[in-house]
Amino acid sequence: MTAIRLLLVDDDPLVRAGLSFMLGGADDIEIVGEAADGTEVEALVDRTRPDVVLMDIRMPAVDGLTATERLRAREDAPQVVVLTTFHADEQVLHALRVGAAGFVLKDTPPAEIIAAVRRVAAGDPVLSPAVTRQLMRHAAGTGPDTRRIRARDRIAVLNDREREVAVAVGRGLANAEIATGLFMSVATVKTHVSRILAKLGLNNRVQIALLAHDAGLLEEEREEH
């Protein structure tokens, strides 16, 4: 099995050392580099070619939000997991909107951080349904009214089946759960997700979830049920 190549980015050397010790002990994870600031990230990514970047948000020169946005704009971008000390902060939402695949708290148990890295490397977001709902509630009170209008305009390009899948992704469901709920195969769900990403110009499932929420699709589904 090929090891997951992981880059650690945090301005605290003690945090980096702890993460390196903890994550480096996993048989399927290889620490390929460490950075103390966002200014170092792109050059390190070019040199080390990580699959996943574990990214601190708050750093002195170039913060994790800017570094994440720059990375996710690149071709063959690595997946990014945001490392933070707080829940449902506007900065976390910003990171997710620009392409982070999820976030973990710095006080998360080691086994869960390792599991998060594995999930993201496999293409799954690190957002449980409970965390997704919490973020969505937070987002509901932070965006301008024009956000819903813009989101609805973008969602309009989806056909009915793609829209159903987008809503399911927005609820935080995994592919197997979506397949069961919508009576289709997991392969068909994956195809729909890929088409949604392409049509909407998004790069991961988290962004689908946020856009579905912004457009009010999750509220409409609750009202129908």
Side-chain angles (χ1 to χ4, degrees), residues 152-167 192 195-200 208 211-212 217:
R152 283 182 175 275
D153 287 344
R154 293 181 68 186
I155 289 288
V157 304
L158 302 181
N159 62 37
D160 290 344
R161 204 56 164 161
E162 290 163 349
R163 185 184 175 102
E164 288 178 330
V165 172
V167 169
H192 282 307
R195 288 176 179 166
I196 293 167
L197 292 171
K199 283 186 175 183
L200 298 178
I208 296 175
L211 189 62
L217 299 188

Side-chain angles (χ1 to χ4, degrees), residues 161 165 175 178-179 183-195:
R161 204 56 164 161
V165 172
N175 286 340
I178 297 173
F183 305 102
M184 61 177 72
S185 70
V186 171
T188 301
V189 173
K190 290 180 178 178
T191 298
H192 282 307
V193 170
S194 295
R195 288 176 179 166

Side-chain angles (χ1 to χ4, degrees), residues 4-9 32 41-55 67-82 95 98-102 117 120-123 203-204:
I4 299 164
R5 298 173 62 81
L6 179 67
L7 176 64
L8 303 176
V9 185
V32 296
V41 171
E42 289 192 89
L44 263 177
V45 166
D46 288 337
R47 190 161 69 248
T48 63
R49 299 295 178 187
D51 301 305
V52 179
V53 178
L54 195 55
M55 180 87 73
T68 296
E69 189 165 11
R70 289 174 180 173
L71 278 185
R72 294 302 299 168
R74 296 161 54 115
E75 291 186 14
D76 300 323
Q79 296 293 339
V80 178
V81 178
V82 172
V98 299
V117 170
V120 168
N203 60 35
N204 64 34

Side-chain angles (χ1 to χ4, degrees), residues 119-177:
R119 284 191 62 186
V120 168
D124 294 324
V126 185
L127 285 178
S128 69
V131 171
T132 300
R133 286 192 294 271
Q134 182 180 359
L135 284 168
M136 297 312 177
R137 283 196 299 269
H138 180 78
T142 60
D145 292 339
T146 53
R147 178 174 286 165
R148 173 163 295 197
I149 296 171
R150 290 197 302 267
R152 283 182 175 275
D153 287 344
R154 293 181 68 186
I155 289 288
V157 304
L158 302 181
N159 62 37
D160 290 344
R161 204 56 164 161
E162 290 163 349
R163 185 184 175 102
E164 288 178 330
V165 172
V167 169
V169 171
R171 290 172 54 209
L173 301 181
N175 286 340
E177 295 171 313

